[in-house]
Amino acid sequence: MNQMKLHRTAREADSVIVRFAGDSGDGMQLTGSRFSETSALAGNDIATLPDYPAEIRAPAGSLGGVSGFQIQFASHRVFTPGDRPDVLIAMNPAALARNVAELPDGGTVIVDEAAFTTKNLNRAGFETNPLEDGSLERLTVHAAPITKSTLTALDEISELTKREKERCRNFFALGLTYWMFERSLDPTKKWIATKFGLDTPVGRANAIALQKGYDYGITAEVIPGTVLVKPAPIAPGRYRSITGNTATAYGIASVGQQCQRPVVYAGYPITPASDILHELSKLKAYGVETIQAEDEIAAACMAIGASYGGALGMTASSGPGIALKGEAIGLAAATELPLVIIDVQRAGPSTGMPTKAEQSDLFLAMNGRNGESPCVVVAPRSPADCFDMIREAFRISTKYMVPVFFLSDAYLANSAEPWRIPSLASLPAIELEAPTDAEGFLPYERDPETLSRPWAFPGMEGFEHRIGGLEKAEGTGHISYDPANHQHMSELRRDKVERIASDIEPLEVDGDLDAELLLVSWGSTWGAIHTAVHQARRRGRAVAHAHFRHLAPLPANTEEVLRAYPKVLAPELNLGQLASLLRARFLIDIESFAKIQGQPFRVSELVHRILELTEPA
Amino acid sequence: MNRPALTRKDFQTDQDVRWCPGCGDYAILATLQKVLPELGVAKENIAIVSGIGCSSRLPYYVDTFGFHTIHGRAFAVATGLKAANPDLSVWVITGDGDSMSIGGNHLIHALRRNVDLNILMFNNRIYGLTKGQYSPTSELGKQTKSSPFGSIDRPFEPLQLAMGAQATFVARTIDREAKHMAATFHRAAAHKGTSFVEIYQNCNIFNDGAYAPLTDRDTKHDTQLLLADGEPLVWGKEGEHCIVRNGFDLAVRATADVDPSEIVVHDERGSQGYHQALAALTLDPEAPVPMGVVRALDLPTYEARFTAQIDHAAHASHPSLDEIFVGRHSWEIGA
């Protein structure tokens, strides 16, 4: 180690990507969240991605128990948490093993030296100590005495055991990271005060560890300098950091609060959708009622029963649960009842990889019912967009009396971005109509424009009628096996969904109409693709991007947009589902870029593909 | 508001009833159409939710709000309906297959929750609509289209199953006893909580005569044990049979052979053990079949607790939704 006093430098950077990684008991999610908040408060644009292990309590120090949190913070708008970390904070050998390959040459690694015991090294699959054997030469490695300094600093807190004190080392690491990036400790101190109280042993210990980590940065002088990332130009307003699941829950609450009728949310716990149920269960004062059903099918059926009763019925799950709900959703489609179905997609098939993102349920949403059973499908593009798109799902579902799928995913659910907080009063109302004249009421009489039917429900005097899953006659809704009627009703249910295309925003293109290549996307890939397209343009390539938030029906101008470009590429986190649908529908030769690894797209791999498909300027 | 009194006619629809001639369902429908106007409930506040099966065609024949749902799931749909509007009088029409095969899970959870529903389970011990397979209540050895060598499944005893799921109201009636059915339906409607009513129903096409011993004039007095709360368990044309305790079980004795004090007195609020032992008589070929209300417990309903929590939350002091959106860690970006 260099014994000389190092020259301290302070430099600026446009953006930095930091990854915190440790054992699942080390508090890396907490650390990452605090760092995110502090960066946002310092004016940077941020994007974050947690990387949870699948097991709840894997053996300490094992590879399967590594939990990570990545954040990109910048002085410009960012749309992804970054391809590769510039800085890795690894609290133990397993965290190093799992993450070190992702760092570019020259990247910085900070480790807790005390954690590199023989036992931990073995558990992580190291035969020799990487801190000593030269294998990390391409990187800048700092082995900091995180545990040791934390224990020393907390010596006087007699109320805590050694184990409890060791658990404060994440705050030490956080403090050090704050020093590295010239950040204030105040927001985190305030958080500690609120969460633990500064007069409790744990509160005091965390606050001390935080300060000591910061001080270590100043005095130990092993890290050569700090990096400052200036504030980004962000539209004025009040902001908060929000995850996709929270934004979804708040969007639902906004609907419940605005409408005279309650939202009835029935769900069954499943990763990664459970947090929506948790959040909504707390919001009973805001027009949201929640039921934890006995299984996925019951949840869908309860939601349908609620809609039948005039409430706003909805359910949420992930792939395996959505598969179970198929028959029930078909009942809602056949009876034409409103129903919102959230699918927080995860890697499949079957149990798959519950904590990893994928977008492979598009086919399921489109077709996962027996018979011709068209439903509406929408997909948010970012965590904050979940708020707007879930409201859109309710708008369509109630106006057209049709089930609407909302396709989120594990990445959107758990990653966070700044959200410009809207006021409830500023949100457009969702109009709920109920028929008023029982005279001559027919449950399946159509609005000539929307093809929607009236929503009459129990409690409405004079409107008694029967509905069911059997095929029914136009108008009266009586059971009908008439051949011509079935043809007519099948086409009508299809046409009703198709007509919604005139009631949704057109497909927008980011870029020139005469570009050589168009990238099309849906769901959570928006950020990475947007970033890649702009990077490629800065490198002189003629490339455009169109992103779908509505997948069924497709926007009215979809064909026009697709045909305008000589080449169309569809990057997807599946084996090419949107590509297949567009190819089949429009007979256009759309190329698929299929990545199905439980990981989001890297900007670099998208740029690489764009470069391959386009000519230099 | 004064509205004209409802009659049976108000609950009839113009749809042709499609059940086979001679089906027990006709009698059940007629009884329901007689009872509904007598409930004192406005017609628009009644909803009938059914599953799939012959039983489940019933909603189409009653002029109320009706929902013919999917196989086994009516209990869940009805629970969601009660959550949306707890004040509705909701009737669930189901069968032995619909409720205890595919619907078993939803049945036991509805019972456990004690949602205020009136469940009418038409038990014909067969699958009628799909033309004659055995059901979870068919007897062991039953020969059917799907069990040509005899069923190897032991059947459920529906009342025991319901009570094992903590049901607060459990009763049994039979399609041939119109008065008894009507009285039982009234008891079910009056009960606050899930009312589980098993109706022995004759499928004259696929399982004719399943309940003949209970309905034949020559045998019914010896096979039916009519329950009345607070009355001794005695049956027979002259009351010549009775029930006494026998360890944890109930046993059949000749009334003449026992001291009157030994005869078990029916208690609708009795113990789980007693009620299970009573229901177990159904499985005993030497014992009578208990008919009427086995259990009626007054316990809080699901929707009472559900609405209480919501009301409490709404009335307790709470931040505005705008404040919740802002949360504790927001920041302002200036112009």
Side-chain angles (χ1 to χ4, degrees):
Chain A
M1 186 163 107
N2 196 332
Q3 298 295 328
M4 285 165 37
K5 249 196 172 184
L6 295 163
H7 177 59
R8 311 312 297 280
T9 57
R11 61 179 184 86
E12 268 183 40
D14 275 345
S15 76
V16 176
I17 299 160
V18 173
R19 186 182 297 183
F20 299 93
D23 215 38
S24 45
D26 283 343
M28 292 296 97
Q29 302 306 322
L30 188 159
T31 306
S33 303
R34 296 301 97 232
F35 190 86
S36 309
E37 184 197 39
T38 298
S39 306
L41 284 166
N44 299 138
D45 196 18
I46 63 167
T48 67
L49 178 63
D51 191 20
Y52 304 110
E55 292 80 26
I56 298 169
R57 286 278 180 273
S62 64
L63 290 166
V66 173
S67 173
F69 189 106
Q70 180 161 309
I71 171 175
Q72 175 167 208
F73 54 104
S75 58
H76 53 79
R77 294 293 314 279
V78 291
F79 306 98
T80 80
D83 282 359
R84 293 173 191 285
D86 302 309
V87 178
L88 171 69
I89 291 110
M91 301 299 279
N92 67 6
L96 181 70
R98 285 293 293 263
N99 292 286
V100 72
E102 303 223 31
L103 287 150
D105 292 348
T108 302
V109 183
I110 298 167
V111 300
D112 181 3
E113 64 183 3
F116 282 69
T117 60
T118 313
K119 191 158 108 183
N120 282 347
L121 286 165
N122 284 340
R123 279 221 188 97
F126 286 117
E127 288 184 4
T128 53
N129 189 343
L131 301 180
E132 289 158 8
D133 65 10
S135 58
L136 302 177
E137 246 171 24
R138 66 184 189 89
L139 304 165
T140 308
V141 182
H142 304 291
I146 297 175
T147 297
K148 184 158 164 250
S149 306
T150 303
L151 289 174
T152 308
L154 302 182
D155 202 35
E156 350 83 66
I157 305 189
S158 48
E159 303 95 313
L160 298 177
T161 64
K162 180 163 176 254
R163 208 77 197 261
E164 286 166 331
K165 288 176 189 172
E166 275 170 357
R167 267 196 241 121
C168 300
R169 58 196 192 111
N170 61 327
F171 279 97
F172 186 99
L174 182 59
L176 174 58
T177 316
Y178 282 150
W179 173 81
M180 283 172 68
F181 297 103
E182 302 189 29
R183 293 278 119 104
S184 164
L185 298 182
D186 287 345
T188 302
K189 281 187 178 156
K190 199 165 141 214
W191 182 88
I192 292 172
T194 311
K195 179 119 178 134
F196 301 107
L198 283 174
D199 49 356
T200 64
V202 173
R204 267 163 45 221
N206 286 333
I208 291 170
L210 180 75
Q211 185 67 56
K212 288 297 173 188
Y214 192 91
D215 294 345
Y216 174 81
I218 301 173
T219 56
E221 300 185 351
V222 290
I223 294 168
T226 60
V227 176
L228 178 65
V229 178
K230 287 208 165 114
I234 297 176
R238 178 150 286 273
Y239 288 81
R240 60 166 285 164
S241 183
I242 199 162
T243 63
N245 272 358
T246 305
T248 305
Y250 285 178
I252 293 165
S254 76
V255 172
Q257 180 88 117
Q258 278 184 316
C259 296
Q260 321 92 305
R261 306 201 224 133
V263 169
V264 174
Y265 176 111
Y268 189 76
I270 184 169
T271 304
S274 310
D275 281 338
I276 304 176
L277 172 63
H278 301 157
E279 191 61 51
L280 289 174
S281 298
K282 297 189 282 194
L283 299 178
K284 294 194 192 313
Y286 306 96
V288 180
E289 303 171 9
T290 58
I291 307 174
Q292 181 181 306
E294 60 269 24
D295 65 32
E296 296 279 2
I297 301 175
C301 290
M302 288 175 185
I304 290 168
S307 287
Y308 176 62
L312 301 164
M314 68 172 304
T315 185
S317 188
S318 189
I322 302 297
L324 284 169
K325 294 179 202 290
E327 191 199 7
I329 297 168
L331 178 66
T335 53
E336 302 184 56
L337 282 170
L339 179 67
V340 171
I341 308 128
I342 296 174
D343 181 0
V344 186
Q345 299 165 94
R346 71 196 210 182
S350 186
T351 311
M353 300 194 290
T355 55
K356 304 300 180 193
E358 194 160 283
Q359 44 178 192
S360 50
D361 291 345
L362 182 58
F363 281 161
L364 181 62
M366 294 289 199
N367 299 313
R369 297 158 293 287
N370 61 297
E372 297 284 357
S373 193
C375 296
V376 174
V377 181
V378 304
R381 71 182 194 185
S382 74
D385 196 36
C386 290
F387 182 91
D388 295 321
M389 285 316 282
I390 195 68
R391 290 177 51 83
E392 171 74 345
F394 275 102
R395 179 187 77 84
I396 295 174
S397 189
T398 51
K399 182 172 177 183
Y400 294 90
M401 301 294 280
V402 68
V404 177
F405 283 89
F406 172 93
L407 297 182
S408 177
D409 65 41
Y411 174 54
L412 288 184
N414 297 306
S415 60
E417 63 171 343
W419 177 48
R420 187 147 167 277
I421 306 166
S423 74
L424 262 178
S426 70
L427 297 170
I430 291 182
E431 307 290 345
L432 294 181
E433 283 179 27
T436 48
D437 189 7
E439 187 70 42
F441 165 71
L442 292 176
Y444 287 88
E445 194 166 30
R446 305 284 158 186
D447 175 295
E449 267 190 47
T450 63
L451 299 182
S452 183
R453 72 180 193 90
W455 190 4
F457 44 88
M460 289 172 61
E461 188 183 336
F463 285 93
E464 294 85 359
H465 64 281
R466 272 63 58 199
I467 67 172
L470 288 169
E471 182 59 286
K472 58 195 59 60
E474 178 75 311
T476 62
H478 293 321
I479 298 172
S480 171
Y481 280 57
D482 179 76
N485 177 71
H486 184 50
Q487 177 93 29
H488 175 66
M489 291 299 281
S490 302
E491 291 172 357
L492 197 146
R493 285 183 288 257
R494 175 199 61 196
D495 294 345
K496 184 176 77 169
V497 170
E498 289 297 315
R499 285 198 194 187
I500 297 170
S502 63
D503 193 15
I504 60 178
E505 60 192 20
L507 187 61
E508 266 182 44
V509 178
D510 170 10
D512 296 329
L513 274 175
D514 58 3
E516 199 183 331
L517 170 68
L518 174 72
L519 264 66
V520 293
S521 60
W522 68 279
S524 64
T525 54
W526 173 75
I529 293 174
H530 177 91
T531 306
V533 164
H534 283 258
Q535 275 190 20
R537 280 205 210 124
R538 284 197 289 276
R539 292 168 73 156
R541 300 304 170 108
V543 55
H545 176 207
H547 183 86
F548 291 92
R549 293 202 299 160
H550 293 87
L551 291 139
L554 291 165
N557 62 336
T558 300
E559 183 167 6
E560 192 193 324
V561 168
L562 295 175
R563 291 208 188 280
Y565 295 86
K567 287 192 211 146
V568 182
L569 177 72
E572 293 183 82
L573 300 176
N574 55 44
L575 290 178
Q577 294 190 12
L578 178 66
S580 287
L581 287 168
L582 295 176
R583 290 172 69 104
R585 173 87 178 241
F586 300 114
L587 299 179
I588 295 175
D589 189 12
I590 292 165
E591 187 177 322
S592 168
F593 180 2
K595 175 175 181 176
I596 185 163
Q597 300 174 16
Q599 298 291 323
F601 277 110
R602 291 192 207 280
V603 170
S604 57
E605 63 191 333
L606 292 165
V607 171
H608 181 75
R609 193 85 192 93
I610 294 170
L611 296 181
E612 280 180 341
L613 288 172
T614 53
E615 296 297 319
Chain B
M1 187 180 85
N2 270 336
R3 288 159 67 174
L6 294 165
T7 68
R8 176 200 289 268
K9 276 205 82 169
D10 294 308
F11 290 89
Q12 291 167 339
T13 69
D14 59 3
Q15 296 297 290
D16 289 336
V17 182
R18 298 293 179 100
W19 292 318
C20 307
C23 175
D25 291 355
Y26 284 96
I28 302 171
L29 171 66
T31 305
L32 188 62
Q33 286 169 328
K34 171 183 156 8
V35 167
L36 288 177
E38 295 169 350
L39 294 180
V41 176
K43 199 163 94 140
E44 64 270 15
N45 288 334
I46 299 172
I48 302 178
V49 181
S50 65
I52 297 286
C54 291
S55 65
S56 298
R57 296 299 179 105
L58 184 138
Y60 294 112
Y61 309 136
V62 183
D63 189 23
T64 59
F65 285 97
F67 195 173
H68 182 207
T69 68
I70 48 179
H71 203 19
R73 321 292 176 188
F75 311 103
V77 174
T79 300
L81 177 59
K82 288 291 283 191
N85 187 346
D87 299 327
L88 296 172
S89 170
V90 177
W91 297 75
V92 177
I93 310 297
T94 181
D96 41 308
D98 189 74
S99 66
M100 282 175 286
S101 202
I102 186 167
N105 195 38
H106 307 307
L107 173 66
I108 60 175
H109 287 274
L111 295 171
R112 170 177 74 88
R113 291 189 182 106
N114 204 30
V115 188
D116 190 7
L117 302 170
N118 306 310
I119 299 173
L120 303 182
M121 192 275 288
F122 299 17
N123 185 3
N124 56 14
R125 293 187 176 160
I126 201 76
Y127 278 25
L129 192 65
T130 46
K131 302 196 171 55
Q133 298 78 26
Y134 64 101
S135 92
T137 54
S138 299
E139 46 291 19
L140 187 63
K142 179 81 175 170
Q143 270 186 301
T144 67
K145 284 201 181 126
S146 56
S147 57
F149 302 105
S151 159
I152 59 173
D153 288 12
R154 288 186 306 159
F156 278 131
E157 202 301 293
L159 303 190
Q160 287 195 315
L161 177 67
M163 292 193 289
Q166 321 282 1
T168 57
F169 180 99
V170 171
R172 171 183 289 139
T173 184
I174 186 162
D175 57 2
R176 295 282 289 272
E177 305 278 356
K179 279 214 182 82
H180 190 266
M181 266 205 291
T184 309
F185 290 2
H186 269 291
R187 285 291 309 272
H191 175 74
K192 292 268 169 286
T194 321
S195 308
F196 180 77
V197 178
E198 175 183 25
I199 306 169
Y200 280 167
Q201 175 245 320
N202 189 51
C203 171
N204 61 316
I205 305 298
F206 295 109
N207 198 20
D208 197 22
Y211 302 108
L214 294 174
T215 56
D216 284 355
R217 257 183 311 154
D218 305 327
T219 53
K220 63 187 261 190
H221 294 291
D222 295 320
T223 53
Q224 286 194 37
L225 170 57
L226 292 171
L227 303 172
D229 195 31
E231 296 297 319
L233 296 179
V234 165
W235 74 101
K237 260 234 159 90
E238 263 97 84
E240 62 268 36
H241 314 291
C242 69
I243 296 288
V244 300
R245 274 177 203 77
N246 182 21
F248 285 119
D249 302 318
L250 299 175
V252 172
R253 291 277 186 276
T255 310
D257 294 348
V258 305
D259 189 275
S261 63
E262 288 177 72
I263 303 176
V264 174
V265 173
H266 184 48
D267 181 4
E268 290 175 357
R269 282 160 301 285
S271 70
Q272 173 84 252
Y274 160 60
H275 288 147
Q276 289 286 356
L278 186 56
L281 294 175
T282 316
L283 300 166
D284 182 353
E286 309 297 316
V289 175
M291 305 292 295
V293 178
V294 172
R295 168 189 288 180
L297 300 175
D298 196 14
L299 288 173
T301 64
Y302 180 77
E303 53 277 25
R305 289 195 168 118
F306 190 75
T307 47
Q309 267 195 359
I310 293 166
D311 289 344
H312 185 258
H315 288 112
S317 77
H318 54 265
S320 70
L321 196 56
D322 280 313
E323 287 170 326
I324 290 188
F325 287 176
V326 169
R328 289 205 227 110
H329 304 287
S330 64
W331 62 93
E332 188 87 29
I333 303 283

